[in-house]
């Protein structure tokens, strides 16, 4: 497909001249993986793209001893490792002058007094005018206590009317409906909803945002985006990696909480939602919540027939032998935590009545790929009956979220030569070839949006709770089954046999990716 250089409205945040107000980002959990792999490299890339305000500063807070200069060195190393090749030149020198560190335990009152003092001095030195963004990149059990202390120390409110104070909360946001509600309540005691940004990094991915442009800035897809033309929808998020030393988190999470409750339900909502009246945070989030509310919650019988869970055993991924999940470092040798989950969800509304949404995700699969496939109904009647004609396949519109980002449409084409024989071909759009260049990191977009006060790509309280209302009955039903062993799949394969049987029972098959 040809590149028509009209501006993509969803990239406006990055391309326009909208620069945030001078501000400081305070990161709790500054010595953790997220800070070095994502946050600082993304902020630095924003600096390189001249999207950060003058005086922009970061205060890293963590328990380990350290100084501003150690922190700057560690972050320099992090950027060279995870910054996507960003050069460490004069821009780094100026960015690094805005990096500060404070050693402190987030449970101690003294830490908050020290933060206040340090912020006052940085704000004076760098002219950041009291605009503050708190970033909680800590384990989730620290969220509640940190928020409480920010509240009691008066750090949740701007010191002057002209300033803003916001907070970004990382996932996991609760571990079931009850804990999510409780956390929301604790945060709401201290911050107002407009100050709260619950991050889901999938929403910052360029291709995820493009889904909205694709649907709502093109006229030809909307008329067929419904039960009259769509047979079913498949959403896949496959990873080759295992749990990468995250056993303590993953053992408590599993694929359903880790990927489906947040990222995959967000993809589903963007695929299924009605056009919002405007591209404004609450208008978009209202429509997404309506989708979550329209999904039929599962009872224990539905959970048996409409869900599959499994765990990877030993196998070969990308030519390398990998151990089974239970042999991973710090995993319980009898663990029944699922590393693969598949669900069939029913969206009960006029647009989608009778169109199932199949979702699957797993670790230790053969390929890293995330895609949304709209599988259309077959032709009502086939006039080509000639010997040797292939069976007409369904048209499929596949939105490739990552890698090799793009969109492809599969349709049948006549094979050249005598007679009428046809086979499926695809028409492709690829980001890489059409636009060139590197797609920006999701965190880059999301951090910038938060500094600009735009919550469109962040989850709202009711949305998070609605997702947990769907996932919690599945968790409870799984728990009540009292499984001693969980089905296994060989690492490097597409999950357990049960996953194929589950969709084949409906007369459909998973896409081969
Ligand atoms: C995270 C999960 O939220 O998303 C990880 O905790 C998962 O387990 C990751 O690997 C996937 O993100 P991405 O951007 O690599 O698809």
């Amino acid at each position: 497909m040809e590149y028509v250089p009209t501006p993509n409205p969803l990239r406006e945040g990055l391309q326009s001249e909208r620069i945030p107000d001078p501000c400081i980002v305070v990161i709790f959990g500054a010595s953790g993986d997220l800070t070095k792999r994502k946050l600082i490299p993304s902020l630095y890339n924003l600096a390189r793209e001249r999207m950060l305000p003058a005086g922009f500063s970061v205060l890293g807070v963590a328990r380990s001893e350290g100084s501003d200069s150690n922190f700057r060195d560690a972050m320099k190393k992090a950027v060279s490792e995870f910054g996507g090749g960003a050069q460490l030149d004069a821009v780094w020198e100026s960015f690094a002058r805005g990096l500060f560190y404070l050693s402190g335990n987030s449970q101690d009152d003294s830490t908050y007094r020290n933060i206040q003092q340090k912020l006052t001095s940085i704000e004076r030195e760098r002219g950041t005018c009291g605009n503050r963004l708190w970033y909680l990149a800590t384990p989730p059990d620290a969220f509640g206590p940190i928020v409480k202390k920010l509240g009691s120390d008066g750090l949740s409110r701007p010191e002057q009317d002209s300033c803003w104070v916001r907070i970004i909360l990382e996932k996991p946001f609760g571990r079931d409906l009850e804990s999510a509600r409780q956390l929301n309540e604790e945060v709401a005691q201290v911050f107002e909803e407009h100050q709260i940004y619950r991050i889901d990094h999938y929403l910052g991915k360029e291709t995820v945002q493009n889904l909205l442009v694709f649907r709502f800035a093109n006229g030809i897809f909307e008329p067929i985006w419904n039960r009259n033309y769509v047979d079913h929808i498949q959403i896949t998020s496959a990873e080759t990696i295992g749990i990468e030393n995250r056993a303590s988190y993953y053992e408590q999470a599993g694929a359903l909480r880790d990927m489906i409750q947040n990222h995959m339900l967000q993809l589903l909502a963007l695929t299924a939602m009605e056009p919002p009246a405007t591209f404004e945070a609450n208008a978009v989030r209202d429509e997404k919540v309506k989708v979550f509310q329209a999904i039929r919650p599962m009872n224990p019988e539905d959970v048996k027939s409409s869900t599959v869970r499994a765990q990877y055993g030993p196998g070969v991924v990308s030519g390398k032998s990998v151990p089974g999940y239970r042999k991973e470092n710090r995993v319980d040798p009898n663990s029944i935590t699922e590393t693969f989950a598949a669900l069939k969800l029913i969206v009960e509304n006029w647009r989608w009545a009778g169109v199932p949404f199949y979702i699957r995700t797993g670790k230790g699969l053969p390929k890293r790929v995330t895609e949304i496939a709209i599988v259309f109904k077959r032709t009502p009647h086939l006039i080509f009956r000639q010997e040797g004609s292939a069976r007409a396949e369904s048209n499929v519109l596949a939105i490739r979220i990552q890698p090799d980002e793009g969109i492809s449409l599969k349709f049948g084409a006549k094979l050249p030569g005598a007679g009428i024989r046809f086979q499926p071909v695809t028409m492709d759009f690829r980001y890489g070839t059409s636009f060139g260049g590197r797609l920006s990191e999701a965190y880059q977009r999301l951090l910038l949006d938060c500094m600009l006060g735009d919550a469109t790509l962040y989850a709202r309280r009711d949305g998070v709770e609605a997702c947990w209302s769907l996932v919690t009955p599945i968790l409870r039903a799984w728990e009540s089954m009292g499984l001693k062993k969980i089905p296994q799949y060989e690492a490097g394969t597409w999950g357990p046999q049960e996953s194929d049987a589950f969709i084949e029972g409906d007369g459909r098959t998973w896409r081969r990716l």
Side-chain angles (χ1 to χ4, degrees):
M1 271 187 229
E2 226 176 63
Y3 166 39
V4 184
T6 41
N8 171 345
L10 291 166
R11 296 210 65 196
E12 268 175 18
L14 285 177
Q15 288 176 337
S16 71
E17 295 303 307
R18 283 185 72 205
I19 307 277
D21 305 324
C23 59
I24 178 157
V25 178
V26 185
I27 305 176
F28 284 93
S31 57
D33 251 20
L34 186 73
T35 306
K36 68 173 190 246
R37 282 176 188 263
K38 301 287 185 194
L39 304 183
I40 297 293
S42 297
L43 289 168
Y44 180 54
N45 277 316
L46 285 173
R48 294 196 64 78
E49 289 173 15
R50 302 183 190 289
M51 301 308 302
L52 292 183
F56 173 80
S57 309
V58 173
L59 172 61
V61 181
R63 242 183 299 192
S64 35
E65 284 302 314
S67 62
D68 294 345
S69 100
N70 299 150
F71 186 55
R72 289 171 190 171
D73 291 345
M75 293 305 111
K76 187 171 186 182
K77 211 162 139 239
V79 169
S80 71
E81 206 173 334
F82 303 110
Q87 278 184 25
L88 289 153
D89 48 17
V91 184
W92 171 260
E93 296 310 319
S94 122
F95 178 78
R97 278 195 291 277
L99 299 180
F100 301 88
Y101 184 79
L102 188 125
S103 156
N105 185 336
S106 61
Q107 313 279 333
D108 297 345
D109 291 342
S110 60
T111 302
Y112 297 82
R113 286 195 294 276
N114 295 341
I115 290 177
Q116 176 66 287
Q117 268 174 18
K118 187 128 182 162
L119 283 179
T120 312
S121 100
I122 299 172
E123 283 166 356
R124 200 172 318 117
E125 179 190 326
R126 311 261 312 158
T128 53
C129 320
N131 296 315
R132 296 170 180 176
L133 168 54
W134 304 103
Y135 199 117
L136 305 199
T138 59
D141 51 1
F143 292 176
I146 294 177
V147 166
K148 213 166 175 185
K149 294 220 190 293
L150 290 175
S152 54
D153 279 62
L155 292 166
S156 59
R157 298 271 174 259
E159 284 171 2
Q160 298 160 34
D161 286 350
S162 56
C163 303
W164 51 258
V165 173
R166 301 182 184 129
I167 184 165
I168 297 186
L169 299 162
E170 260 298 330
K171 63 168 280 228
F173 201 82
R175 47 174 293 103
D176 54 18
L177 178 58
E178 203 188 314
S179 55
R181 275 191 181 141
Q182 192 186 328
L183 181 55
N184 270 328
E185 206 36 62
E186 280 168 18
V187 181
Q189 307 269 321
V190 174
F191 290 93
E192 293 184 26
E193 183 61 28
H194 70 86
Q195 297 178 283
I196 307 168
Y197 289 70
R198 298 171 193 82
I199 204 162
D200 183 315
H201 78 279
Y202 266 55
L203 293 176
K205 289 184 192 276
E206 202 72 56
T207 32
V208 174
Q209 297 162 54
N210 187 47
L211 179 55
L212 293 178
V213 170
F214 182 76
R215 289 194 57 200
F216 302 132
N218 292 292
I220 63 168
F221 303 108
E222 180 55 24
I224 55 170
W225 208 265
N226 57 47
R227 67 180 186 287
N228 296 326
Y229 297 92
V230 178
D231 177 73
H232 71 281
I233 290 178
Q234 294 187 16
I235 307 181
T236 302
S237 188
E239 295 184 280
T240 50
I241 53 169
I243 51 158
E244 302 196 302
N245 291 322
R246 295 162 75 216
S248 54
Y249 156 73
Y250 201 86
E251 273 283 86
Q252 301 302 314
L256 186 60
R257 288 189 176 94
D258 185 47
M259 292 292 293
I260 295 186
Q261 183 275 334
N262 37 64
H263 309 323
M264 298 194 74
L265 284 177
Q266 291 292 336
L267 296 183
L268 186 155
L270 295 173
T271 309
M273 72 193 234
E274 295 300 317
T278 59
F279 189 58
E280 185 272 322
N282 279 330
V284 172
R285 298 187 301 176
D286 285 347
E287 294 307 330
K288 287 199 310 186
V289 171
K290 286 184 206 159
V291 174
F292 300 136
Q293 289 169 342
I295 297 176
R296 187 196 299 161
M298 290 195 206
N299 63 35
E301 281 312 303
D302 298 328
V303 172
K304 280 193 198 134
S305 60
S306 299
T307 71
V308 170
R309 57 178 157 156
Q311 188 185 70
Y312 65 83
V316 177
V317 181
S318 316
K320 273 198 197 146
S321 295
V322 299
Y325 176 73
R326 293 176 184 190
K327 289 273 160 54
E328 299 267 16
N329 210 0
R330 288 184 291 130
V331 167
D332 174 356
N334 297 315
S335 169
I336 57 155
T337 301
E338 81 285 356
T339 60
F340 178 99
L343 311 181
K344 175 165 97 173
L345 296 173
I346 305 295
V347 181
E348 294 185 308
N349 62 18
W350 279 45
R351 186 187 283 269
W352 297 115
V355 180
F357 284 68
Y358 297 96
I359 293 185
R360 63 177 161 164
T361 184
K363 294 197 183 281
L365 299 187
K367 216 172 169 184
R368 175 175 184 249
V369 51
T370 300
E371 74 147 44
I372 301 165
I374 319 293
V375 182
F376 291 93
K377 291 186 171 166
R378 289 177 199 274
T379 48
H381 165 73
L382 195 62
I383 57 168
F384 309 107
R385 289 279 169 77
Q386 204 171 321
E387 203 50 30
S389 284
R391 199 165 89 97
E393 292 194 16
S394 303
N395 296 123
V396 178
L397 183 74
I399 298 158
R400 178 70 73 101
I401 306 294
Q402 64 188 19
D404 194 13
E405 293 82 355
I407 298 177
S408 77
L409 178 66
K410 185 172 95 172
F411 57 95
K414 180 185 171 300
L415 277 170
I420 301 274
R421 292 192 301 139
F422 46 89
Q423 75 175 38
V425 293
T426 57
M427 202 153 65
D428 292 321
F429 150 70
R430 287 208 161 89
Y431 260 86
T433 30
S434 296
F435 295 100
R438 180 183 74 90
L439 290 183
S440 54
E441 168 59 56
Y443 275 92
Q444 203 174 313
R445 167 69 193 240
L446 294 172
L447 282 161
L448 182 67
D449 278 4
C450 178
M451 290 185 258
L452 288 166
D454 182 351
T456 311
L457 301 177
Y458 283 85
R460 203 171 57 189
R461 176 176 183 164
D462 51 353
V464 169
E465 292 182 8
C467 290
W468 277 119
S469 313
L470 297 168
V471 163
T472 306
I474 303 176
L475 292 167
R476 296 288 171 262
W478 281 357
E479 281 157 20
S480 71
M481 288 176 198
L483 220 61
K484 292 274 177 296
K485 277 193 183 151
I486 177 165
Q488 301 277 301
Y489 58 98
E490 193 182 324
T493 66
W494 281 102
Q497 273 174 356
E498 287 84 345
S499 156
D500 294 331
F502 152 88
I503 189 166
E504 282 162 15
D506 287 352
R508 300 177 174 111
T509 49
W510 288 116
R511 272 168 56 75
R512 280 211 229 138
L513 299 173

